[in-house]
Amino acid sequence: MRSLVMKFTLLTGALIFAMTFMLVTLESVSAQRETRNLLIDRNIASLSSAASRLADSFSSRDVEFVGAFLTELRDNMGADEIYALNNRRELFVEALADPNTAGNIRASAIAVASLGAGDIRHELNGTTLHLAVPAYTSQRRLSGVIYAQLELTELVASRNAMIKRQALLALFALGVFLPLAALLVGRALRPIQTLTEAARHASSKTLDTRIRINTGDELEVLANAFNRMFARLNGNLKRIHRLAYVDMVTELPNRERFRKETERVARKALEEDLTGAVLFVDLDRFKRVNDSLGIGEGDRLLEMVGRRLTEVVRGCDLAAGRMDDPSMVARLGGDEFTALLPSIDDSADAARVANKLVDAIRLPFEIGGHQVFLGASIGVAVFPQDGADPETLMRHADLAMAHAKRAGGSAAQFFEPTMNQSAFERLVLENELRDAVQKDELVVFYQPKVLMKDGSIAGAEALVRWQHPTAGLLSPGAFIEAAEECGLIAEIGDWVLRRACNQAASWRAAGLEIPVAVNVSAMQFDREGFSQSVIEALEDANLPPHLLELELTESVAMENPERVIEQVQPLRDKGVNFAIDDFGTGHSSLAYLTRMPFDVFKIDMSFVRNMTTDPHSRIVVETILAMAKSLKLETVAEGVETAEQMTMLKAQGATLAQGFLFGRPMPYDQFMEHAEEAFVPRAVGE
Ligand code: C2E
Ligand code: MG
Ligand code: MG
């Protein structure tokens, strides 16, 4: 830009110079002409007066007098040569300054003098003046001509002076007008400078720039166009930024933004020796709630969760005075959120925040007039110790979260290096489990359920086992969870159901009318067409429905009661029985329980195990038994291992029991043998 001002200034300077020079030259030329005429006139006058003085002397041919006179005149006029010619144009007298040039001059004198006989003649050659003046006698007779040749030195001097003056004037004009021109050009170009500056600023820094130009000309129009362009670009950039870095459902930062921020913060922590944490938050039960609410309400719920998480984190920042480096909550997608705590004192700080988050999510959410209960499983990775880059930190926090979830959810768990190993093992396990289903490595064991009063077999629970090629016989604890997580549980569950129905049908054919109970996992139960697949399994095995009992855990049964009723009712209508498994661990609402279509409560073995020593467990068992009695439901006490437990249960009115005391889960053949010995057919109505 500076160069543009410079260019314009130089151009204006050149113009000023040229114009001044031209004007001064014009003026000087006329002055010069005047000077020249004046000089010519003066010399003509001198020569004319000499001519009138000498006219008579010419006639009298007084050479001596004329010669002396002309020599004096030559000196007075400063002429080079003066000649006198007679009326026949013959050289009469000559007065020479430089005899060497005499020949030439003489010739031109004759030439000039002959030209206009009787007239005054002059000729200017450069600065050399040739003058010829006629001399008339008092009788007005031409007696001769005086010719002079002289250098007009004054003319040269005046010409030199003129050039000097011109240059001085032009320089003066430049000196005065150039700064003025620079000022004016600078002022005229200032809006362009402003525009350029704004464009440069906008291209390198921020588009929030506004150009203020009020010149009322095209530049103002241009500036306004720039402003509109910046505003539009800015809007578009912000929109792009929002799409790239903001989660549209919750308006929280998204995964990418969280990743970037974690990267920055983790690097800073390494450099400045700080401690921070990444919290991976996964909601418990969200999928079910979302399915029952519908997508729109589900999104609103996520928004509420996001807000609640943000509030808690902000509150913790405030309490710990961390406002300079605030924590960030982001949504990764689905029901997964994350929190980044950039600077904490120690891991206990992170634990405090994580526990507060767990507590906050546990409080009910009010949505569509309903109260909705969620939980949050949180994994915590502390940096730099658990990782220095966002990928590692998030993976480790995720692993820790999975542990928290597996341990029952609604809790926080710190990452531990062994989790990496177990995650790998889990991967191997999942792959092997896929093979196991294909290679028919699964078997079903049966555990007897007995009547308390006489120990006779009243039923059998089908429990799956995996005959692992190298690890031996694995119980479901080792693989059911993995099967649930990788989606194989539905396939396994289906297989167990069909197998159990077939085997129950075959022991029925052998005369043992023993009902079989099959465990149903949440995922299997949730599937469309579950009821139909059960009916088909019964039909294919030719097993009467009343000989099948399906066990649902209390948490599955209570999570979405409407859905349970929908799935259970058609099967119950056919005669299939339903049991709530592990009852007492899910803190079910009693109001719901009375409405639920269940036939059997299976009291969780933790209460049975502790009831002889822990009064609280005993009260729980008592309460469940009393409640079941009033609801006219059957109860099965699970995990009865000692006679003491059995006596106590009997005294409290338990009717059925299952446990190692009566028989461990066993293969089909062994169960058949055991049942043939112990089976006592129950009388109708018993
Ligand atoms: P569950 O349905 O509560 O089954 C009872 C569990 O308690 C069985 O463990 C059984 O071996 C064990 N048990 C029975 N009596 C006693 C006792 O006196 N003392 C002790 N300590 N344990 C006793 P198991 O076979 O390891 O099964 C564990 C859980 O795996 C089952 O709990 C059930 O929830 C699940 N499961 C088993 N088979 C299947 C299946 O085919 N499908 C699904 N979805 N889950 C299954
Ligand atoms: Mg069970
Ligand atoms: Mg159980």
Side-chain angles (χ1 to χ4, degrees):
M1 192 63 228
R2 182 163 303 143
S3 74
L4 199 57
V5 172
M6 196 93 85
K7 279 179 200 161
F8 271 90
T9 308
L10 282 178
L11 195 71
T12 324
L15 271 173
I16 294 169
F17 191 82
M19 276 173 66
T20 319
F21 204 83
M22 239 170 67
L23 283 174
V24 175
T25 307
L26 277 176
E27 189 260 348
S28 301
V29 164
S30 69
Q32 186 81 24
R33 193 174 294 140
E34 251 169 55
T35 312
R36 192 190 63 195
N37 292 343
L38 206 74
L39 283 175
I40 292 171
D41 288 351
R42 203 175 69 198
N43 285 307
I44 288 174
S46 301
L47 222 54
S48 297
S49 103
S52 65
R53 287 272 310 277
L54 292 180
D56 291 329
S57 306
F58 281 173
S59 304
S60 60
R61 303 189 182 274
D62 187 351
V63 174
E64 211 166 307
F65 173 73
V66 172
F69 190 92
L70 288 185
T71 306
E72 198 187 327
L73 180 67
R74 191 199 69 201
D75 294 342
N76 285 345
M77 282 175 70
D80 296 325
E81 300 297 334
I82 295 186
Y83 301 95
L85 290 96
N86 62 22
N87 51 2
R88 288 187 300 280
R89 309 291 186 268
E90 291 158 353
L91 195 61
F92 178 50
V93 169
E94 54 186 7
L96 300 174
D98 179 4
N100 292 333
T101 57
N104 294 336
I105 298 175
R106 201 177 298 132
S108 59
I110 294 166
V112 171
S114 329
L115 270 175
D119 288 332
I120 296 174
R121 291 201 54 81
H122 74 266
E123 226 181 77
L124 194 62
N125 256 345
T127 51
T128 312
L129 181 68
H130 304 271
L131 269 181
V133 177
Y136 292 97
T137 61
S138 40
Q139 288 82 35
R140 301 229 29 92
R141 225 168 26 86
L142 183 70
S143 61
V145 176
I146 302 178
Y147 168 84
Q149 179 183 315
L150 60 162
E151 276 305 311
L152 293 183
T153 46
E154 284 174 65
L155 195 64
V156 174
S158 107
R159 193 171 286 173
N160 287 346
M162 178 194 81
I163 290 169
K164 210 161 137 192
R165 205 162 49 123
Q166 278 171 325
L168 275 174
L169 262 171
L171 282 176
F172 173 76
L174 268 185
V176 172
F177 290 113
L178 202 63
L180 200 70
L183 194 80
L184 290 175
V185 168
R187 189 167 286 180
L189 292 182
R190 193 166 303 142
I192 295 183
Q193 265 174 323
T194 314
L195 274 174
T196 315
E197 204 45 53
R200 202 169 50 193
H201 192 259
S203 66
S204 63
K205 289 175 188 137
T206 160
L207 284 168
D208 277 337
T209 328
R210 248 200 83 73
I211 313 169
R212 265 169 253 282
I213 291 179
N214 301 313
T215 49
D217 54 15
E218 289 90 338
L219 287 177
E220 188 174 332
V221 176
L222 191 64
N224 288 339
F226 260 99
N227 283 337
R228 276 196 299 279
M229 186 174 76
F230 289 158
R232 202 165 302 156
L233 273 177
N234 205 15
N236 285 342
L237 269 187
K238 282 190 176 142
R239 212 163 302 138
I240 290 168
H241 188 274
R242 215 172 97 80
L243 285 173
Y245 293 118
V246 177
D247 170 58
M248 292 301 146
V249 173
T250 56
E251 296 284 326
L252 288 175
N254 67 4
R255 180 188 290 272
E256 188 48 29
R257 172 84 203 288
F258 185 81
R259 206 194 64 75
K260 282 198 160 170
E261 191 61 14
T262 307
E263 191 168 36
R264 183 187 73 77
V265 166
R267 195 181 318 121
K268 189 171 157 216
L270 262 187
E271 286 162 3
E272 298 178 14
D273 203 16
L274 300 172
T275 304
V278 167
L279 275 55
F280 199 110
V281 184
D282 189 285
L283 300 180
D284 304 331
R285 288 188 296 281
F286 177 76
K287 196 184 161 314
R288 280 157 196 284
V289 174
N290 192 39
D291 288 350
S292 63
L293 286 176
I295 301 278
E297 296 285 56
D299 281 358
R300 271 197 53 219
L301 182 58
L302 285 172
E303 203 186 323
M304 287 158 107
V305 169
R307 219 174 303 137
R308 212 176 266 187
L309 294 174
T310 310
E311 274 164 21
V312 170
V313 162
R314 202 166 288 158
C316 291
D317 279 354
L318 210 65
R322 281 196 293 262
M323 291 321 282
D324 301 345
D325 222 351
S327 305
M328 172 198 260
V329 173
R331 177 172 173 242
L332 301 187
D335 60 353
E336 290 176 347
F337 291 81
T338 41
L340 173 67
L341 316 181
S343 75
I344 49 174
D345 293 336
D346 48 26
S347 44
D349 242 7
R352 259 190 297 279
V353 178
N355 288 331
K356 283 217 165 90
L357 290 175
V358 169
D359 291 344
I361 298 303
R362 212 184 264 148
L363 297 175
F365 290 88
E366 188 83 38
I367 194 145
H370 295 289
Q371 281 208 328
V372 173
F373 291 86
L374 293 175
S377 301
I378 301 183
V380 185
V382 175
F383 53 84
Q385 76 199 42
D386 294 340
D389 60 278
E391 284 72 26
T392 313
L393 283 167
M394 276 161 85
R395 196 178 65 244
H396 286 171
D398 189 7
L399 274 176
M401 181 282 292
H403 273 251
K405 182 144 281 198
R406 246 173 267 142
S410 257
Q413 164 81 51
F414 274 92
F415 167 76
E416 283 160 22
T418 50
M419 289 175 182
N420 259 331
Q421 180 59 27
S422 61
F424 175 70
E425 284 165 1
R426 166 62 62 94
L427 201 68
V428 173
L429 180 75
E430 281 181 12
N431 286 332
E432 287 182 347
L433 194 56
R434 263 174 239 280
D435 281 352
V437 180
Q438 307 295 323
K439 291 183 187 159
D440 224 6
E441 288 172 1
L442 299 179
V443 277
V444 179
F445 275 33
Y446 297 93
Q447 186 180 31
K449 262 191 288 183
V450 301
L451 257 179
M452 279 282 192
K453 60 173 192 213
D454 56 11
S456 59
I457 295 188
E461 178 171 5
L463 295 160
V464 70
R465 299 286 181 267
W466 178 7
Q467 190 63 58
H468 192 275
T470 52
L473 193 69
L474 298 179
S475 56
F479 61 91
I480 283 287
E481 204 178 276
E484 271 171 350
E485 276 171 24
C486 69
L488 274 173
I489 190 68
E491 201 179 325
I492 295 175
D494 242 30
W495 180 85
V496 173
L497 175 71
R498 288 186 162 268
R499 186 78 171 172
C501 287
N502 282 328
Q503 295 192 319
S506 66
W507 67 56
R508 179 171 175 253
L512 299 169
E513 186 99 344
I514 301 174
V516 69
V518 177
N519 292 286
V520 177
S521 80
M523 203 183 272
Q524 189 187 356
F525 184 70
D526 270 350
R527 282 213 309 196
E528 278 309 315
F530 167 74
S531 315
Q532 194 51 38
S533 70
V534 175
I535 292 168
E536 277 169 20
L538 284 169
E539 283 171 3
D540 291 351
N542 201 16
L543 185 73
H546 75 272
L547 290 182
L548 177 66
E549 187 170 284
L550 296 177
E551 295 189 5
L552 294 173
T553 59
E554 188 186 345
S555 49
V556 174
M558 291 305 145
E559 205 150 280
N560 187 355
E562 273 73 28
R563 174 97 177 124
V564 171
I565 294 169
E566 202 177 289
Q567 291 276 60
V568 162
Q569 208 51 55
L571 292 170
R572 275 193 94 219
D573 291 346
K574 287 217 171 269
V576 176
N577 287 306
F578 277 85
I580 298 187
D581 205 353
D582 304 340
F583 189 74
T585 53
H587 317 285
S588 303
S589 128
L590 285 175
Y592 264 138
L593 268 181
T594 52
R595 288 178 44 210
M596 296 304 287
F598 284 94
D599 311 283
V600 182
F601 285 175
K602 293 189 79 175
I603 304 169
D604 191 69
M605 70 175 83
S606 58
F607 302 112
V608 175
R609 189 185 306 129
N610 298 332
M611 65 184 290
T612 51
T613 50
D614 170 28
H616 174 74
S617 294
R618 200 171 54 239
I619 291 167
V620 172
V621 174
E622 265 174 28
T623 314
I624 296 173
L625 286 171
M627 194 174 69
K629 202 170 176 187
S630 69
L631 291 170
K632 304 254 179 314
L633 294 169
E634 224 172 49
T635 50
V636 178
E638 286 189 288
V640 182
E641 291 181 350
T642 64
E644 194 188 356
Q645 289 164 348
M646 190 182 78
T647 318
M648 200 177 258
L649 284 163
K650 233 181 184 171
Q652 287 174 353
T655 50
L656 290 159
Q658 182 181 344
F660 295 170
L661 184 66
F662 313 106
R664 288 179 177 259
M666 51 194 109
Y668 171 75
D669 295 341
Q670 206 178 321
F671 176 75
M672 282 285 277
E673 281 171 27
H674 179 85
E676 271 160 1
E677 286 167 26
F679 179 63
V680 180
R682 287 167 81 179
V684 177
E686 209 174 342

